[in-house]
């Protein structure tokens, strides 16, 4: 056994001289189905001939899943997917089946996936690379056996800086005409089909802005950090892994059937009971890497109920979706934010360059209904234009750009960031905003709802000072029964009967009720310094009002209000709940709180 592990740790380095054929998004075809739908909707709203794009906020699992399914079913030219994580589970299975069908009817499919989660069951997603008309690349891959976690951990430890820097962007684009972008990865927990589910936010985009998103995708796709799957793994290995997981699923289904039969005869499983009790005692939290994403437990299987729920999801009718037409820009980190690997297989720190793609004349674009050019490029144009927004400068990162925007807020700032580690610059920015009369409200995860409890350390060390500076803090209540209506999700907010916990994953800002920002970024040091991110900034009072109402409902009815009373932190329960005021992190165990307190001094903000 030891020899096998050592063999895995000695696995070859990343391949060199990799063939990466360059490809780009095709220009939209006017007579394609999605183009016709978009043009008809635009004419109906008297927006034909303008640079405005259409937007629809996607919050609940049905609209989030149904929009993606509709894009696949209506695509005729291309599908481009860029994700940090794609889990090999029921929800993804149905989407991938639809994508295979699209490829068979002639749609060109490109899938770009960060490599961090490409192990174990999730490695099976890489089988898509061997489907005709489907191309798949892995971004910033790690050496090591995809079945041997020790091997992967060893290589991550020996190249820690590059291993922790990930492509966190999330795009789902069809025909270069419509797309979905935002916070969700692809997997059951993002679509209300797991024991622990995310509250998340995406936006459906139609029109010119999609071409900007496609340009960002192309830059990552053609980057030297993107490796074709075929250069990393053989199909026969993936087929063997698939057979093993299929056998594991069947064995699990048989065990579940036996347990169900025993329970019906009055013999409930003690292991199931103890597991459930343990989850409640810790708030469902398990210490994990602070990357802000879910990862199924080792040995987890896909149940028949999950498959049934995924196949019960319906594609949205894109002709009837209520779109809000507005001017917008994209802000995206460039792939060079992450260091590349040199010819000897070593990380070359000189290849890392912090820079961001931003729309030219960004301020003018956001100014009003007819406000300027929509074009996006790796622009060198830094000329200012007259508006309430800042000049179109080149920020070092998406997060830096958003922090700069806050300097221009006059009245109200709403921030939703599941992993919130402000650091000195953000702290100064929030304090300056409060000092000039801005109401600043921030919603983040509570310790109980945080899927990466270690990340909570970075937030907790700033919590008291934020309150002293006048910032209003809210932390998500993890109980599904309190959250279904609070965030406008209806009964599908936690659809599976076994759902035990809800976790915040939305990344949203609303500035002065005029500008809405939706993207993949957290307001933390990991998004600022390590990961690549993408966001869209939409100037629309209507979209801002809709987003604000949804967030405020969640603040009131689905979140703990954290306050200072006599110098001590106090958690006020959500309005209308039967919860009581708390003096410590609600719904968490003393051992978990003590463990994080002990770890705190040794965990720098930069890795959170």
């Amino acid at each position: 056994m030891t020899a096998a592990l050592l063999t895995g740790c000695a696995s070859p380095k990343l391949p060199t001289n990799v063939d990466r054929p360059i490809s780009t998004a095709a220009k939209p075809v006017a007579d394609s189905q999605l183009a016709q739908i978009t043009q008809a909707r635009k004419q109906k709203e008297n927006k034909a001939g303008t640079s405005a794009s259409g937007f629809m906020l996607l919050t609940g699992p049905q609209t989030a899943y149904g929009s993606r399914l509709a894009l696949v079913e209506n695509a005729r030219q291309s599908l481009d997917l860029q994700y940090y994580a794609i889990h090999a589970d029921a929800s993804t299975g149905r989407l991938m089946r639809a994508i295979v069908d699209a490829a068979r009817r002639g749609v060109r499919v490109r899938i770009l996936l960060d490599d961090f989660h490409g192990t174990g069951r999730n490695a099976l997603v890489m089988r898509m690379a061997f489907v005709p008309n489907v191309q798949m690349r892995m971004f910033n891959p790690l050496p090591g056996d995809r079945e041997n976690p020790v091997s992967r951990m060893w290589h991550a430890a020996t190249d820690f800086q590059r291993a922790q820097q990930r492509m966190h962007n999330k795009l789902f684009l069809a025909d270069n005409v419509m797309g979905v972008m935002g916070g969700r990865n692809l997997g059951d927990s993002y679509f209300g089909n797991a024991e622990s589910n995310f509250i998340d936010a995406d936006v459906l985009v139609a029109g010119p802005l999609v071409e900007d998103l496609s340009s960002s995708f192309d830059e990552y796709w053609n980057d030297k950090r993107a490796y074709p799957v075929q250069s990393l793994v053989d199909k026969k290995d993936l087929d063997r892994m698939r057979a093993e997981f299929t056998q594991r699923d069947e064995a699990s289904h048989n065990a579940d059937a036996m347990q169900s039969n025993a329970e019906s005869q009055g013999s409930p499983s003690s292991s199931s009971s103890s597991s459930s009790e343990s989850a409640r005692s810790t708030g469902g939290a398990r210490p994990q890497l602070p990357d802000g994403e879910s990862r199924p437990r080792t040995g987890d299987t896909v149940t028949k109920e999950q498959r049934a729920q995924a196949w019960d999801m319906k594609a949205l009718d894109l002709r009837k979706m209520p779109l809000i037409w507005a001017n917008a820009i994209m802000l995206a980190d460039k792939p060079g934010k992450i260091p590349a690997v040199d010819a000897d297989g070593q990380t070359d720190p000189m290849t890392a360059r912090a820079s961001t793609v931003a729309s030219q004349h960004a301020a003018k674009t956001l100014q009003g209904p007819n406000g300027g050019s929509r074009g996006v490029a790796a622009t060198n144009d830094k000329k200012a234009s007259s508006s309430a927004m800042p000049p179109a400068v080149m920020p070092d990162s998406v997060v830096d750009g958003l922090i700069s925007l806050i300097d221009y807020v006059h009245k109200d700032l709403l921030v939703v960031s599941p992993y919130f580690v402000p650091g000195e610059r953000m702290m100064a920015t929030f304090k300056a905003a409060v000092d000039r009369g801005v109401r600043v409200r921030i919603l983040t995860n509570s310790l109980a709802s945080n899927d990466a409890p270690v990340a909570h350390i970075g937030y907790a060390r700033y919590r008291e000072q934020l309150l002293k500076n006048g910032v209003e803090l809210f932390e998500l209540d993890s109980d599904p029964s309190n959250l279904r209506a609070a965030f406008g999700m209806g009964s599908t907010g936690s659809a599976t009967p076994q759902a035990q916990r809800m976790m915040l994953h939305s990344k949203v800002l609303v500035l002065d009720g005029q500008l809405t920002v939706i993207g993949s970024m957290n307001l933390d040091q990991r998004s600022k310094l390590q990961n690549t991110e993408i966001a869209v900034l939409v100037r629309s009072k209507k979209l801002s009002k809709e987003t604000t109402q949804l967030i405020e409902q969640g603040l009131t009815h689905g979140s703990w209000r954290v306050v200072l009373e006599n110098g001590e932190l106090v958690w006020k329960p959500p309005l209308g709940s039967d919860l009581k005021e708390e003096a410590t992190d609600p719904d968490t165990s003393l051992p978990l709180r003590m463990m994080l307190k002990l770890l705190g001094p040794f965990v720098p903000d930069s890795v959170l």
Side-chain angles (χ1 to χ4, degrees):
M1 178 65 178
T2 303
L5 292 179
L6 291 176
T7 299
C9 291
S11 61
K13 298 175 181 178
L14 291 176
T16 57
N17 301 319
V18 174
D19 183 25
R20 299 178 180 87
I22 293 176
S23 64
T24 58
K27 287 293 182 182
V29 176
D31 61 355
S32 72
Q33 198 159 331
L34 291 176
Q36 289 178 343
I37 292 173
T38 300
Q39 191 60 28
R41 300 294 303 275
K42 201 167 185 178
Q43 288 177 345
K44 185 177 180 181
E45 298 295 328
N46 296 318
K47 297 294 182 179
T50 72
S51 61
S53 296
F55 300 91
M56 175 185 169
L57 189 63
L58 306 172
T59 54
Q62 172 57 54
T63 56
Y65 194 85
S67 60
R68 289 168 170 82
L69 197 57
L71 292 178
V72 175
E73 293 181 354
N74 285 279
R76 293 298 177 266
Q77 284 183 284
S78 64
L79 286 167
D80 290 334
L81 280 65
Q82 181 180 11
Y83 279 95
Y84 170 72
I86 301 179
H87 297 293
D89 54 24
S91 300
T92 297
R94 185 187 177 191
L95 270 178
M96 293 300 139
R97 182 74 62 85
I99 289 172
V100 169
D101 291 342
R104 287 173 178 167
R105 65 175 184 263
V107 176
R108 184 195 68 175
V109 178
R110 296 185 296 174
I111 302 174
L112 182 60
L113 177 63
D114 185 88
D115 187 72
F116 190 75
H117 292 282
T119 59
R121 179 187 292 274
N122 290 336
L124 300 182
V125 175
M126 298 168 71
R127 296 178 73 253
M128 290 292 291
F130 301 92
V131 174
N133 221 23
V134 176
Q135 304 167 55
M136 185 172 183
R137 296 180 182 179
M138 306 299 286
F139 197 86
N140 191 22
L142 300 173
D145 188 346
R146 294 184 182 276
E147 296 177 86
N148 184 351
V150 175
S151 171
R152 295 272 287 191
M153 289 172 60
W154 169 263
H155 287 284
T158 57
D159 194 1
F160 179 75
Q161 182 59 36
R162 186 178 66 86
Q164 71 164 340
Q165 292 189 256
R166 310 313 314 173
M167 181 190 76
H168 201 233
N169 313 39
K170 301 163 181 76
L171 295 174
F172 200 115
L173 310 175
D175 288 352
N176 205 6
V177 173
M178 281 192 185
V180 171
M181 68 85 60
R184 283 183 177 86
N185 292 295
L186 300 183
D188 285 335
S189 57
Y190 298 93
F191 301 112
N193 196 14
E195 289 186 6
S196 296
N197 293 311
F198 285 112
I199 295 172
D200 219 325
D202 297 313
V203 63
L204 176 68
V205 185
L209 188 67
V210 177
E211 295 181 52
D212 299 347
L213 300 175
S214 292
S215 294
S216 176
F217 177 92
D218 287 343
E219 188 166 11
Y220 280 82
W221 178 261
N222 295 309
D223 190 83
K224 60 185 175 182
R225 297 160 182 81
Y227 289 68
V229 165
Q230 289 85 344
S231 71
L232 300 171
V233 65
D234 292 330
K235 184 176 185 296
K236 63 181 181 180
D237 293 330
L238 295 175
D239 288 343
R240 175 178 49 77
M241 291 172 65
R242 184 192 188 198
E244 292 173 356
F245 280 112
T246 298
Q247 290 179 348
R248 194 176 302 179
D249 285 352
E250 291 174 351
S252 176
H253 294 160
N254 292 336
D256 288 345
M258 292 176 63
Q259 178 178 322
S260 177
N261 183 55
E263 289 177 353
S264 67
Q265 298 180 23
S267 302
S269 168
S270 59
S271 62
S272 173
S273 175
S274 62
S275 173
S276 177
E277 193 65 37
S278 174
R280 283 194 297 270
S281 67
T282 62
R286 301 187 309 276
Q288 298 177 352
L289 291 175
D291 62 351
E293 306 298 347
S294 71
R295 56 184 64 75
R297 295 185 300 275
T298 302
D300 274 4
T301 58
V302 179
T303 68
K304 294 179 179 179
E305 292 76 14
Q306 286 176 308
R307 286 197 177 95
Q309 179 170 314
W311 282 93
D312 192 48
M313 291 282 197
K314 303 294 189 296
L316 299 185
D317 187 344
L318 298 174
R319 294 177 176 82
K320 298 179 180 179
M321 300 317 299
L323 295 177
I324 296 172
W325 294 89
N327 286 328
I329 64 167
M330 175 199 74
L331 198 62
D333 289 330
K334 295 174 72 66
K337 189 176 180 180
I338 296 176
V341 175
D342 62 21
D344 296 323
Q346 301 298 316
T347 296
D348 182 2
M350 297 303 293
T351 61
R353 294 290 184 270
S355 56
T356 303
V357 176
S359 296
Q360 296 181 11
H361 308 293
K364 191 175 180 182
T365 300
L366 290 172
Q367 187 174 13
N370 300 307
S373 168
R374 174 200 49 82
V376 65
T379 178
N380 292 317
D381 185 347
K382 299 184 180 181
K383 294 184 294 185
S385 56
S386 58
S387 94
M389 301 306 298
V393 299
M394 291 288 288
D396 286 339
S397 69
V398 169
V399 172
D400 284 316
L402 298 181
I403 296 171
S404 296
L405 275 178
I406 294 173
D407 291 334
Y408 292 79
V409 177
H410 297 297
K411 296 180 180 179
D412 189 80
L413 173 65
L414 266 175
V415 175
V416 180
S417 181
Y419 313 100
F420 180 56
V421 184
E424 292 183 6
R425 186 189 172 196
M426 266 188 267
M427 288 291 288
T429 298
F430 289 130
K431 185 178 187 305
V434 173
D435 288 346
R436 66 175 181 268
V438 177
R439 184 185 187 189
V440 179
R441 291 173 289 173
I442 298 173
L443 171 64
T444 189
N445 271 305
S446 63
L447 179 53
S449 69
N450 202 321
D451 187 59
V454 175
H456 195 80
I457 293 173
Y459 159 64
R461 63 170 58 121
Y462 292 101
R463 185 163 47 192
E464 186 171 331
Q465 190 59 49
L466 283 163
L467 293 170
K468 289 179 178 178
N469 291 347
V471 174
E472 299 177 37
L473 289 181
F474 298 83
E475 297 178 4
L476 186 76
D477 174 22
S478 63
D479 186 350
S481 63
N482 293 333
L483 292 173
R484 289 174 178 170
F487 285 88
M489 298 179 298
S491 60
T492 60
S494 177
T496 50
Q498 70 271 27
Q500 298 176 2
R501 184 168 65 127
M502 299 297 290
M503 306 165 290
L504 185 66
H505 201 256
S506 309
K507 302 95 162 52
V508 181
L509 289 84
V510 183
L511 294 75
D512 278 339
Q514 299 184 57
L515 185 68
T516 301
V517 181
I518 299 175
S520 66
M521 69 289 145
N522 298 295
L523 290 192
D524 64 4
Q525 301 306 298
R526 176 170 288 275
S527 285
K528 182 178 184 291
L529 303 172
Q530 312 289 355
N531 295 343
T532 65
E533 307 288 357
I534 190 168
V536 294
L537 290 67
V538 186
R539 177 172 284 285
S540 167
K541 291 183 179 180
K542 185 175 182 180
L543 182 63
S544 294
K545 181 179 180 180
E546 178 182 320
T547 307
T548 297
Q549 289 176 340
L550 185 66
I551 295 173
E552 288 181 338
Q553 188 174 340
L555 297 182
T556 304
H557 297 283
S559 305
W560 296 89
R561 172 78 185 273
V562 188
V563 299
L564 277 174
E565 292 185 354
N566 300 319
E568 300 293 332
L569 293 173
V570 176
W571 282 259
K572 303 286 186 179
L575 186 66
S577 72
D578 56 0
L579 300 171
K580 305 300 182 183
E581 189 175 284
E582 298 280 356
T584 58
D585 291 278
D587 301 322
T588 59
S589 65
L590 178 60
L592 176 62
R593 297 195 299 272
M594 291 300 297
M595 181 188 71
L596 296 181
K597 189 170 184 178
L598 292 172
L599 285 175
F602 306 101
V603 183
D605 286 354
S606 60
V607 300
L608 297 175

